[in-house]
Amino acid sequence: MMAQLEAPRAARTLPGANIYRFRTDALRLLQGMYRRYGDVVQFRLGSERVFMVSNPEYIREILVTNHKNFIKGRGLQRARKFLGNGLLTSEGEFHKRQRRLSQPAFHRERIATYARVMAQYAAEMRDAWQPGEQHDMAKEMMRLTLRVVAKTLFDAEVKSEMDEIGAALTTTIELFSAVMTLPFFELIEKLPLPFNYRFRAARARLDETVYRIIEERRRSGGDRGDLLSMLLIAQDEEGDGTGMTDEQLRDEAMTIFLAGHETTANALTWTWYLLSQHPEVEAQMHAEIDAVLDGRLPTVAEYGKLKYTEMVFAESMRLYPPAWVFGRRALDDFSIGHYRLPGRALVLMSPYVVQRRSDFYPAPERFIPERWTPEEKEKRPKFAYFPFGGGPRACIGEGFAWMEGVLILATIAQKWRMRLAPEARIVPEPLITLRPKYGMPMQLEARA
């Protein structure tokens, strides 16, 4: 039997130094630890004993094989303050029940009906632009995906409220990210501090919209073909036969609202940036789009034919995964490889780190969509790429996100090239998701 070893310890730092670095430069901190210590390393994050795992086989053990030994990490436990007890934050039997109730809303056939909305809203945005204009593509993609998720989730048109709702979501994300790693978070959140007031006001603004739509839908009844309809009519046939309360609906709706809006917008923003830096890739994507669509808006039928566009999107999420880190809390002691890790340890797994490993991705900093041909994908272990997580807790909306990303890219790229503005400062900011810290100012060039 292989001897059990203790995971390497990162060099000691001054008290609080790792918390400061995690809050200000988390990507470089985690990448540096992988490069120095390898597949598993332990370090202190305040009072927490943290283990970073960067081996795909070990990640599979945690997320799939032995998933019952793990619950969500500290960040998502604290995220309940905003998201409630939704799919992203709930645990155990309650999570299983909610997943069963929500799953029909994400069946392939159901998601396919949303393709028209995705392409239509993207076309409305692109057709309103003019050559030579400059837009912050981070904001534009947030506005677009917010409209898409509101329509497909609620059958609601929120164009008039879009800026207000978007601002509330941004406020919530920024404030929560700022305090998430602080010690004594549970005490700090109760104090009469300005950011607490702003956080509560932002949550109240979002709740106002969500509860209003739920109430209106319960009164009107019927299946409108959207996600909320599915959640309203869902019954737990494997459990007690009941459906969701308004509070449960709110929590699931808010989770999907945030996840379906924020993550895809960031993935698209980083894709426009990468295309602007690689005109040869952009030209190949344009050639495919023109050949497949011939000037038409894409439908679900064309989605499966836009292979290179999908490869572009996949490679973008390799380099800039919206969910840049996943955390799990171990319930009991466990082994991965020849390492023994203790119960209650916090385990971090970073797609940003793993997806830049040179042994899986030669020249890992380069943007090479051809990495995603079936032959190339087959050469790598599954969890060398996990932007949507994995196992029973994998993102329920993964299929939705892939289709939305590809269709929006194809629709906008039919008419426009994006060029990075001269004053642009490109700095990834790892909040709850991986955003561009200073936005993504880009100039529009009409395609000939």
Side-chain angles (χ1 to χ4, degrees):
M1 181 179 294
M2 184 180 294
Q4 296 289 292
L5 303 176
E6 184 181 30
R9 292 177 182 269
R12 290 187 178 276
T13 61
L14 293 173
N18 281 337
I19 286 183
Y20 175 78
R21 288 195 64 196
F22 197 84
R23 294 184 64 197
T24 60
D25 203 6
L27 300 178
R28 188 174 298 180
L29 172 67
L30 297 184
Q31 274 195 304
M33 286 191 173
Y34 165 70
R35 287 169 180 159
R36 184 170 181 181
Y37 300 102
D39 288 349
V40 182
V41 58
Q42 60 175 304
F43 61 99
R44 304 298 302 191
L45 201 59
S47 60
E48 287 276 13
R49 189 179 180 187
V50 181
F51 292 78
M52 186 175 78
V53 176
S54 304
N55 179 306
E57 290 305 314
Y58 298 170
I59 292 169
R60 182 179 59 81
E61 287 285 320
I62 293 166
L63 295 181
V64 182
T65 310
N66 294 313
H67 70 91
K68 291 182 179 179
N69 188 44
F70 297 90
I71 59 175
K72 290 284 187 171
R74 179 171 67 174
L76 284 176
Q77 295 295 331
R78 290 178 171 181
R80 287 180 179 170
K81 301 298 179 185
F82 166 55
L83 295 176
N85 206 26
L87 282 175
L88 199 59
T89 55
S90 59
E91 300 288 354
E93 290 303 316
F94 183 79
H95 173 267
K96 290 181 183 178
R97 178 183 188 273
Q98 292 300 96
R99 183 115 183 171
R100 282 198 302 268
L101 288 172
S102 303
Q103 193 69 57
F106 292 92
H107 284 164
R108 185 186 301 267
E109 295 79 10
R110 198 81 179 192
I111 291 173
T113 65
Y114 307 141
R116 182 186 58 81
V117 171
M118 295 166 180
Q120 176 190 330
Y121 284 6
E124 289 177 14
M125 172 170 278
R126 76 169 190 198
D127 292 346
W129 291 341
Q130 297 297 321
E133 287 182 344
Q134 181 171 305
H135 291 279
D136 181 348
M137 294 309 296
K139 289 183 178 178
E140 293 293 281
M141 293 301 101
M142 289 286 182
R143 289 167 60 85
L144 176 55
T145 58
L146 179 59
R147 277 194 76 196
V148 169
V149 80
K151 183 66 175 177
T152 54
L153 172 60
F154 296 127
D155 190 25
E157 179 54 77
V158 297
K159 197 171 184 178
S160 62
E161 301 178 84
M162 204 155 46
D163 289 341
E164 195 175 340
I165 294 172
L169 282 166
T170 294
T171 295
T172 301
I173 289 166
E174 290 178 349
L175 293 178
F176 187 79
S177 297
V179 303
M180 187 169 60
T181 57
L182 289 177
F184 313 115
F185 171 84
E186 288 71 18
L187 173 62
I188 291 170
E189 68 168 344
K190 296 175 183 177
L191 298 177
L193 299 173
F195 66 73
N196 281 332
Y197 290 128
R198 289 175 60 204
F199 181 87
R200 290 167 192 150
R203 172 177 167 145
R205 174 63 188 86
L206 295 168
D207 280 353
E208 175 189 338
T209 296
V210 172
Y211 276 121
R212 184 190 74 233
I213 294 171
I214 290 172
E215 181 183 359
E216 290 172 354
R217 186 62 60 81
R218 283 207 189 275
R219 284 203 306 266
S220 63
D223 182 355
R224 297 193 196 175
D226 59 356
L227 299 181
L228 182 58
S229 293
M230 293 297 295
L231 296 178
L232 280 164
I233 64 178
Q235 292 184 327
D236 186 11
E237 296 178 358
E238 295 182 36
D240 58 10
T242 61
M244 295 189 194
T245 65
D246 280 2
E247 184 178 6
Q248 289 165 358
L249 281 168
R250 176 265 175 211
D251 292 350
E252 299 304 347
M254 196 65 75
T255 297
I256 297 165
F257 205 38
L258 176 65
H261 148 68
E262 173 81 14
T263 54
T264 308
N266 285 327
L268 286 164
T269 299
W270 288 115
T271 306
W272 295 126
Y273 162 68
L274 288 164
L275 287 168
S276 77
Q277 303 304 293
H278 298 82
E280 72 289 350
V281 173
E282 181 186 59
Q284 189 167 341
M285 187 181 84
H286 284 164
E288 176 185 77
I289 291 168
D290 294 346
V292 171
L293 300 183
D294 193 25
R296 303 181 305 274
L297 285 184
T299 66
V300 68
E302 280 85 28
Y303 166 55
K305 300 175 184 177
L306 293 165
K307 299 295 187 184
Y308 190 76
T309 307
E310 184 177 52
M311 289 158 62
V312 166
F313 196 50
E315 178 70 347
S316 173
M317 286 194 289
R318 180 186 72 81
L319 286 167
Y320 296 102
W324 59 278
V325 69
F326 295 97
R328 294 289 188 272
R329 174 83 64 189
L331 299 176
D332 297 307
D333 293 359
F334 67 103
S335 298
I336 46 175
H338 49 271
Y339 296 113
R340 185 73 175 169
L341 277 63
R344 300 302 303 161
L346 180 63
V347 181
L348 297 182
M349 298 154 286
S350 173
Y352 187 90
V353 172
V354 176
Q355 292 170 190
R356 290 170 181 251
R357 281 185 53 156
S358 59
D359 49 345
F360 301 128
Y361 303 97
E365 302 298 323
R366 291 182 57 197
F367 180 57
I368 307 174
E370 287 76 12
R371 300 184 200 272
W372 300 101
T373 63
E375 297 77 21
E376 288 299 312
K377 287 167 63 175
E378 194 66 29
K379 296 176 183 178
R380 296 186 293 266
K382 176 175 172 54
F383 284 94
Y385 184 76
F386 59 113
F388 295 95
R393 305 288 309 236
C395 175
I396 197 172
E398 179 176 354
F400 184 102
W402 278 109
M403 186 168 71
E404 182 181 21
V406 171
L407 295 185
I408 288 175
L409 283 174
T411 302
I412 293 177
Q414 277 182 311
K415 288 196 171 184
W416 298 106
R417 292 185 180 89
M418 313 293 180
R419 292 295 173 259
L420 200 61
E423 72 275 13
R425 298 170 62 192
I426 307 304
V427 179
E429 184 177 27
L431 301 174
I432 295 177
T433 58
L434 191 63
R435 287 184 165 194
K437 185 172 185 177
Y438 303 106
M440 193 64 69
M442 305 192 86
Q443 293 176 339
L444 301 177
E445 289 185 4
R447 290 186 58 201

